[in-house]
Amino acid sequence: MRVVAVEVPLVRPFVTAVRRADRLRAVLVEVTDGDGRSGWGEAATSWRVTGESPQSVAAAALGPIADAVTGLPVDDPAAWGRAVETSVVGNAAARSAVDCALWDLAARAAGLPLAGFIGGRAGPVRTDMTLSVGTPQDLLERAREHTGFGTLKVKVGGGEHDVEGVEALRRELGPALVLRVDANQAWTADEAVAAIRRWEESGVGLDFVEQPVPAADVEGLAAVRAAVTTPVLADESVWNLRDLRQVIRYGAADAINVKLAKSGGITEARRMLALAAEAGLGVMAGCMMESHVGIAASAALAATLTGTAAQDLDAGLWLTRSPVSGGIEYDGDLVRLSPAPGLGITALAPDAAAHELHP
């Protein structure tokens, strides 16, 4: 196993209610088996989002996680999946990178694309496009740059123009466009209800409002859902199966955003999809600010979902280039999965300025 970091500039700043980013430091994990095959995974690192750094990922992945999985059969996901989960407390992004790399490796060994290996379809996955926090004019300008996207997700919670900006998008771009809103925990329950009710009264017709209140305030999330008719989607409140059970118990959401960097990988994410389906909750496959490696694994997971709604897998479009050769490709609002075994990643890109990380 090795861990490498690759700096990739963004095409434009990514701004939410929580942070601003101008470049991505992609932290990639490569796992190799005895036959020379490689599997790839990615750890999304941000102190304010995942609570992990490139250095902490290297320490966890190359230390306790590597110790737990080395020597296990590649074709036994139950064994290495459990080993990854129990190898270290927390460190979800590091665990996700190794778990996804092992799923990639297992699919390669089986000669199947990862999506097919975990029961998904072969076709492309549709994604939305995210608009950073901005003024109404900023939002309109960015939206017009992405006319090929049928679904836009608007980041709010960063200023006084949140409500007006979303109303302006609907007014100027028409009723056919699917609009979503993501507050990234920026509001209190009362503030969320006030904003959502105004959008309802003005006929904006939102697809959903994502994580309007702080992650720990599940009761507040439930109160928002009870007070509005717009669907509420939980993101930061749902990292894993335990969190999902709590959201279900409180009736706090209509749907959830499943991200591999939160769940600790595909192993736990698949369990979450099953429980959400059992509880009648909708599911959206989402991503952090990550590269084509992380998006490829998330897109494979998304390929197992039913329905035609857009997922939230646009992060690769924010990058000036991919850090790897092979893997997914973007085609407008479609994420096209590689037909090659596993994720289809062949190596680091020739122009990737990568450096290896050590514990």
Side-chain angles (χ1 to χ4, degrees):
M1 186 184 301
R2 67 169 180 152
V3 180
V4 297
V6 184
E7 294 273 351
V8 185
L10 304 187
V11 296
R12 58 190 174 278
F14 180 74
V15 185
T16 73
V18 176
R19 63 172 181 146
R20 173 193 171 103
D22 297 286
R23 60 179 49 245
L24 170 69
R25 191 180 192 194
V27 180
L28 311 180
V29 171
E30 182 185 18
V31 177
T32 307
D33 69 7
D35 294 319
R37 288 179 293 249
S38 290
W40 292 84
E42 179 170 1
T45 57
S46 167
W47 287 122
R48 299 191 66 186
V49 180
T50 61
E52 296 174 64
S53 69
Q55 291 73 26
S56 74
V57 168
L62 298 174
I65 303 177
D67 291 343
V69 301
T70 299
L72 295 179
V74 170
D75 62 355
D76 191 354
W80 49 252
R82 178 63 177 164
V84 171
E85 286 181 312
T86 58
S87 63
V88 62
V89 174
N91 294 276
R95 288 187 286 111
S96 176
V98 177
D99 183 81
C100 291
L102 289 169
W103 278 104
D104 180 18
L105 192 57
R108 288 173 191 253
L112 295 171
L114 179 56
F117 187 67
I118 60 175
R121 64 188 186 279
V125 174
R126 195 172 301 278
T127 182
D128 61 14
M129 172 53 70
T130 302
L131 304 184
S132 290
V133 168
T135 67
Q137 187 58 39
D138 290 336
L139 294 177
L140 282 169
E141 289 177 2
R142 293 177 195 141
R144 288 177 176 132
E145 293 172 359
H146 301 290
T147 54
F149 287 78
T151 303
L152 297 179
K153 187 169 85 165
V154 186
K155 295 288 189 178
V156 297
E160 58 182 316
H161 300 296
D162 288 337
V163 173
E164 292 87 348
V166 175
E167 290 176 334
L169 287 174
R170 175 59 75 210
R171 183 172 58 253
E172 296 297 323
L173 302 180
L177 180 70
V178 177
L179 283 177
R180 301 167 168 176
V181 162
D182 184 3
N184 286 114
Q185 314 178 68
W187 294 326
T188 65
D190 288 343
E191 289 169 339
V193 170
I196 297 168
R197 282 182 173 170
R198 179 166 164 184
W199 284 321
E200 290 175 346
E201 290 165 0
S202 61
V204 169
L206 293 174
D207 190 32
F208 59 69
V209 173
E210 183 173 355
Q211 199 62 48
V213 300
D217 189 10
V218 178
E219 291 185 13
L221 193 64
V224 173
R225 182 180 180 233
V228 301
T229 58
T230 301
V232 172
L233 183 142
D235 179 7
E236 289 92 339
S237 290
V238 180
W239 281 60
N240 50 37
L241 207 57
R242 180 181 60 189
D243 293 341
L244 177 53
R245 291 192 183 102
Q246 183 183 37
V247 163
I248 293 170
R249 186 165 62 250
Y250 278 90
D254 299 280
I256 60 171
N257 188 344
V258 175
K259 297 178 179 176
L260 298 178
K262 294 188 302 177
S263 68
I266 292 172
T267 299
E268 175 80 343
R270 296 178 79 199
R271 298 189 198 112
M272 294 173 69
L273 298 191
L275 180 58
E278 182 182 318
L281 293 182
V283 173
M284 179 178 73
C287 63
M288 305 290 189
M289 180 50 67
E290 51 195 306
S291 80
H292 298 62
V293 177
I295 299 299
S298 297
L301 181 71
T304 69
L305 299 173
T306 58
T308 59
Q311 307 302 315
D312 187 30
L313 301 175
D314 62 321
L317 290 166
W318 288 74
L319 308 186
T320 55
R321 62 182 182 274
S322 172
V324 294
S325 298
I328 62 160
E329 294 181 354
Y330 284 96
D331 180 10
D333 66 349
L334 297 178
V335 184
R336 297 196 181 278
L337 287 70
S338 171
L343 295 177
I345 296 168
T346 57
L348 288 171
D351 60 349
H355 66 276
E356 196 159 342
L357 300 176
H358 302 279

